[in-house]
């Protein structure tokens, strides 16, 4: 078996030790006589797995007790609609800071339910920067302010949590959760699809300040109601138990590796190495994002001649480096270097990039 270094943006590479453990545990869960995938989510086996996953995530992210943690199906996009349904009254203003494709998607998902307003956008500049906080035109009566902590496609990342006063801050952390320590108490709500930094696709994590569970929001079925999910321990209906379990293994792996502070150090080194390779290539490679807003998780880059793109991808694959093709919205290349991408993977990529330039430059 030869596992390549996989730079996919999501579903993304997972720690090999986690995959091996899941493989070993798949056929029969301990002495339960069946696989965890085959057992009731309300049985003692899964209930323990679920409780441990929540406890481990709380430890990893230092989540205060006055925040509920939900494990839900539906992906991050579903949360983008549920935010408005749960936190905004019909027609109430909701402020959106749009710094890339996913901020635009969040806005679109909220629009049927709330008076979703773009209060700042970097779209005119091609989503290559973050609008200065002083230029945001926040509404005093907004239900919440939404932003995308890390734009997976455009490779733009907030380095600081913006101060928006008393209005609850809602953030899409799908592609940067657990990449560095965060002060959860600054947020009303954080959500993330698991398939980048937390585990497999099929489960989302929602971290929600408990007082916001009291908001009336909009008329909605119980299945779209965060308070109902919180009351039911995320088991209002059958939860995505295998995905939840696998995310739990990733949490244990992150804790054993030293927690998010350690990943922040590794991620900083990986990103510095890759951006240095791009910037030091004399224009052979380029990244167009303003340096202060460059993502440490998703690094889009372009070759000076796009006719070389397919050659780059073929030769990279032959060198054991896969999933480097850029998102169709941007073209070029993109290397996603989440927590589970080892530093050796980024070293292999930058070594390959230099050698490729030597052959084709
Ligand atoms: N937000 C961000 C930042 C993302 O990267 C993605 C997926 N790439 C989404 C939202 C949408 O997630 P999902 O496909 O799980 O709905």
């Amino acid at each position: 078996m030869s596992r390549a270094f996989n730079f996919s943006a999501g579903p993304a590479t997972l720690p090999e030790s986690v995959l091996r453990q899941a493989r070993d545990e798949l056929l029969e869960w301990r002495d339960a006589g069946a696989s965890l995938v085959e057992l009731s989510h309300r049985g003692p086996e899964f209930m323990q797995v679920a409780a441990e996953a929540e406890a481990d995530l709380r430890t990893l992210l230092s989540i205060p007790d006055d925040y509920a943690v939900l494990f839900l199906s539906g992906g991050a996009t579903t949360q983008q609609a549920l935010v408005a349904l749960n936190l905004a009254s019909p027609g109430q203003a909701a402020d959106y800071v749009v710094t890339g494709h996913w901020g635009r998607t969040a806005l679109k998902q909220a629009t049927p339910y709330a008076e979703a307003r773009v209060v700042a956008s970097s779209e005119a500049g091609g989503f290559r920067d973050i609008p200065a906080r002083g230029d945001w035109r926040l509404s005093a009566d907004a239900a919440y302010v939404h932003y995308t902590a890390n734009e997976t496609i455009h490779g733009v990342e907030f380095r600081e949590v913006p101060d928006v006063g008393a209005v609850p801050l809602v953030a899409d952390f799908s592609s940067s959760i657990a990449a560095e320590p965060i002060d959860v108490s600054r947020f009303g709500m954080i959500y993330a699809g698991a398939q980048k930094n937390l585990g497999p696709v099929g489960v989302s994590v929602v971290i929600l300040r408990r007082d916001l569970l009291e908001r009336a929001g909009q008329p909605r079925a119980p299945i779209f109601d965060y308070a109902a999910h919180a009351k039911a321990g995320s088991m209002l209906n059958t939860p995505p138990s295998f995905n939840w379990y696998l995310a739990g293994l990733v949490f244990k792996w992150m804790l054993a590796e030293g927690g998010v502070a350690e990943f922040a150090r590794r991620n900083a080194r990986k990103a510095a190495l890759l951006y240095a390779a791009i910037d030091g290539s004399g224009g052979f490679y380029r990244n167009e994002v303003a340096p202060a807003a460059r993502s440490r998780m998703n690094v889009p880059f372009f070759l000076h001649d796009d006719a070389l793109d397919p050659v780059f991808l073929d030769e990279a694959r032959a060198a054991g480096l896969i999933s480097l093709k850029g998102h169709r919205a941007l073209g070029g290349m993109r290397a996603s270097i989440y927590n589970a991408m080892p530093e050796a993977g980024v070293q292999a990529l930058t070594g390959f990039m230099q050698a490729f330039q030597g052959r084709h430059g």
Side-chain angles (χ1 to χ4, degrees):
M1 189 181 74
S2 62
R3 279 173 58 81
F5 288 119
N6 173 14
F7 296 91
S8 173
T13 192
L14 287 171
E16 191 170 318
S17 62
V18 164
L19 294 176
R20 286 183 187 282
Q21 186 176 346
R23 179 194 64 186
D24 293 347
E25 292 176 342
L26 182 63
L27 210 55
E28 185 183 358
W29 179 253
R30 305 198 179 153
D31 56 0
S35 172
L36 193 66
V37 195
E38 303 168 299
L39 292 167
S40 167
H41 53 292
R42 299 190 196 281
E45 297 87 0
F46 185 71
M47 288 299 272
Q48 187 183 340
V49 166
E52 275 182 35
E54 178 176 335
D56 288 341
L57 187 64
R58 284 184 179 276
T59 305
L60 264 178
L61 300 181
S62 305
I63 301 173
D65 289 343
D66 60 331
Y67 284 74
V69 175
L70 308 177
F71 291 84
L72 303 175
S73 57
T77 310
T78 301
Q79 312 318 318
Q80 292 174 341
L82 295 187
V83 170
L85 271 178
N86 282 266
L87 301 189
S89 320
Q92 189 181 5
D95 287 351
Y96 280 77
V97 180
V98 179
T99 52
H101 173 92
W102 294 109
R104 218 165 36 194
T105 305
L107 175 80
K108 209 187 298 173
Q109 293 298 331
T111 295
Y113 307 118
E115 183 60 40
R117 299 177 182 161
V118 178
V119 294
S121 171
S122 53
E123 186 158 13
F127 294 131
R128 294 188 181 94
D129 207 348
I130 288 172
R133 171 67 190 83
D135 297 335
W136 300 9
R137 291 184 304 277
L138 298 177
S139 330
D141 56 344
Y144 56 84
V145 180
H146 180 286
Y147 79 104
T148 313
N150 182 71
E151 284 284 354
T152 319
I153 294 173
H154 289 90
V156 170
E157 182 184 10
F158 279 77
R159 287 297 165 85
E160 280 172 11
V161 179
D163 185 355
V164 295
V167 176
L169 189 58
V170 174
D172 178 356
F173 264 90
S174 292
S175 48
S176 58
I177 191 163
E180 65 177 341
I182 41 167
D183 181 357
V184 173
S185 72
R186 300 279 310 276
F187 296 88
M189 174 172 154
I190 288 171
Y191 64 93
Q195 66 267 28
K196 293 122 189 342
N197 247 351
L198 298 185
V201 65
V203 63
S204 303
V205 166
V206 172
I207 302 167
L208 185 56
R209 214 174 63 212
R210 291 188 199 275
D211 64 294
L212 295 172
L213 294 170
E214 314 285 321
R215 287 222 177 154
Q218 328 245 338
R220 60 198 181 276
I223 197 68
F224 299 140
D225 181 30
Y226 283 141
H229 282 290
K231 200 156 158 250
S234 302
M235 297 199 193
L236 191 61
N237 65 329
T238 318
S241 56
F242 186 72
N243 315 61
W244 189 337
Y245 149 76
L246 208 54
L249 293 186
V250 175
F251 303 162
K252 286 192 190 301
W253 170 78
M254 288 196 274
L255 287 169
E257 293 287 310
V260 290
E262 171 59 18
F263 282 103
R265 289 189 282 274
R266 294 182 194 176
N267 292 332
R269 288 196 295 267
K270 288 185 294 182
L273 182 63
L274 184 46
Y275 284 114
I278 294 167
D279 294 342
S281 70
F284 189 85
Y285 303 106
R286 72 179 193 283
N287 168 279
E288 299 178 341
V289 177
R294 283 174 163 183
S295 169
R296 287 160 291 180
M297 294 281 101
N298 310 98
V299 182
F301 61 94
F302 303 90
L303 277 68
H304 76 104
D305 173 5
D306 59 16
L308 282 172
D309 286 1
V311 187
F312 183 92
L313 291 167
D314 282 351
E315 293 190 11
R317 169 167 265 287
L321 308 165
I322 64 169
S323 313
L324 284 161
K325 191 173 177 14
H327 190 275
R328 62 189 180 280
L330 284 190
M333 305 297 148
R334 173 176 51 173
S336 295
I337 50 175
Y338 301 118
N339 286 358
M341 172 58 65
E343 292 185 70
V346 180
Q347 287 157 3
L349 174 60
T350 54
F352 168 79
M353 288 166 68
Q354 277 152 13
F356 185 86
Q357 182 175 358
R359 289 192 297 276
H360 299 278

